[in-house]
């Protein structure tokens, strides 16, 4: 019964799991093709939910959500000021006591085992990534090549990676109370060897 915003939601992979768990989900993403796929997938399940094209920096949503989830490396796209404003925007659509979950890779673990190139398959698409660490900006800058049945597309990304103390300070500056830091894969307490870092902040 909880009302949850999935921002950005991509093609609805996580939104649909939340809907199956009984949440009332609203997904927002700037990519229109992804939103179309999410809507098609939702129709097939028969579950309730909504998907909207929108910018996470300017959410057009009412203040009625129990939670906002920002999963799987979807935070840190912008400069420091804008990243903080994104968190404040998430907090603005929460009811009092609502929570925000931000999930990122663990920067220390990533840098210890840094991979300049990666190849994997997702939904029949071959994805090749090339990464570079910008120590000054504390960002991973990447290029992405997507290939499927003779079709190719290239994209670039730049994501600011936060340490636990940096993320804690960012959440506090956005007016949130940090409730929990856990391993994003297991849900157990976060440690230096964790591959992922999930932060839960509560709106007072």
């Amino acid at each position: 019964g909880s009302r949850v915003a999935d921002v950005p939601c991509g093609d609805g992979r996580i939104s649909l799991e939340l809907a199956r768990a009984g949440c009332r989900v609203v997904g927002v993403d700037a990519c229109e093709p992804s939103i179309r796929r999410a809507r098609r997938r939702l129709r097939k399940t028969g579950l309730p939910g909504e998907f909207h094209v929108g910018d996470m920096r300017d959410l057009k949503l009412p203040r009625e959500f129990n939670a906002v989830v920002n999963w799987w490396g979807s935070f840190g796209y912008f400069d420091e000021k804008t990243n903080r404003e994104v968190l404040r925007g998430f907090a603005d659509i929460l009811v009092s006591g609502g929570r925000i979950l931000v999930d990122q890779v663990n920067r220390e673990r990533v840098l210890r085992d840094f991979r300049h190139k990666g190849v994997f398959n997702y939904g029949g698409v071959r994805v090749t990534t090339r990464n570079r660490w910008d120590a000054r900006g504390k960002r991973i800058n990447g290029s992405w090549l997507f290939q499927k049945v003779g079709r190719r597309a290239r994209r670039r990304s730049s994501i600011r990676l936060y340490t636990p103390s940096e993320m804690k300070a960012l959440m506090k500056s956005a007016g949130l109370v940090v409730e929990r830091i856990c391993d994003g894969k297991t849900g157990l307490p976060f440690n230096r060897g964790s591959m992922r870092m999930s932060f839960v902040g509560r709106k007072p």
Side-chain angles (χ1 to χ4, degrees):
S2 295
R3 193 159 177 80
V4 181
D6 182 8
V7 187
C9 64
D11 61 6
R13 178 175 62 91
I14 290 167
S15 298
L16 293 178
E17 294 302 322
L18 291 167
R20 290 186 181 105
C23 298
R24 294 177 295 156
V25 181
V26 175
V28 177
D29 200 284
C31 180
E32 191 168 351
S34 292
I35 290 296
R36 287 199 297 267
R37 287 194 297 270
R39 287 171 176 164
R40 286 197 299 268
R41 296 175 71 183
L42 184 69
R43 283 196 296 270
K44 288 180 181 178
T45 68
L47 293 166
E50 304 171 27
F51 290 102
H52 304 286
V53 177
D55 191 321
M56 64 196 297
R57 293 167 292 187
D58 185 25
L59 293 175
K60 306 293 186 183
L61 297 174
R63 184 177 295 175
E64 62 182 20
F65 290 87
N66 304 105
V68 177
V69 295
N70 178 277
W71 226 303
W72 204 254
S74 297
F75 186 80
Y77 294 146
F78 314 111
D79 59 34
E80 295 298 302
K81 179 183 177 183
T82 308
N83 287 336
R84 185 180 302 109
E85 289 173 351
V86 166
L87 271 185
R88 287 177 177 159
F90 290 169
D92 283 345
I93 66 172
L94 291 177
V95 297
S96 296
R99 291 169 172 83
I100 295 171
L101 181 143
V102 174
D103 172 78
Q104 273 203 332
V105 294
N106 175 11
R107 189 171 96 187
E108 182 177 347
R109 175 70 182 270
V110 165
L111 294 182
R112 190 191 326 159
D113 305 317
F114 194 78
R115 297 181 181 179
H116 293 278
K117 182 179 179 181
V119 180
F120 60 94
N121 287 284
Y122 178 73
V125 179
R126 179 183 171 87
V127 183
T128 303
T129 64
R130 295 184 183 275
N131 301 306
R132 180 177 61 83
W133 173 246
D134 172 8
R136 184 175 181 179
K138 301 176 184 178
R139 308 179 73 92
I140 284 187
N141 298 317
S143 64
W144 301 68
L145 173 63
F146 302 89
Q147 297 172 285
K148 182 179 181 180
V149 195
R151 296 164 57 191
R152 296 159 61 96
R154 293 184 182 274
R155 299 287 185 272
R156 293 191 178 276
S157 64
S158 179
I159 298 178
R160 165 71 155 95
L161 296 186
Y162 291 88
T163 64
S165 60
E166 288 173 339
M167 182 61 77
K168 187 179 293 185
L170 195 67
M171 282 203 162
K172 287 182 178 178
S173 72
L176 298 164
V177 177
V178 177
E179 273 197 341
R180 188 179 181 202
I181 312 170
C182 66
D183 184 306
K185 292 189 73 174
T186 67
L188 296 172
F190 176 80
N191 62 73
R192 295 175 65 185
S194 297
M195 183 58 74
R196 304 199 66 82
M197 175 181 73
S198 290
F199 260 78
V200 178
R202 176 174 53 83
K203 181 176 181 177

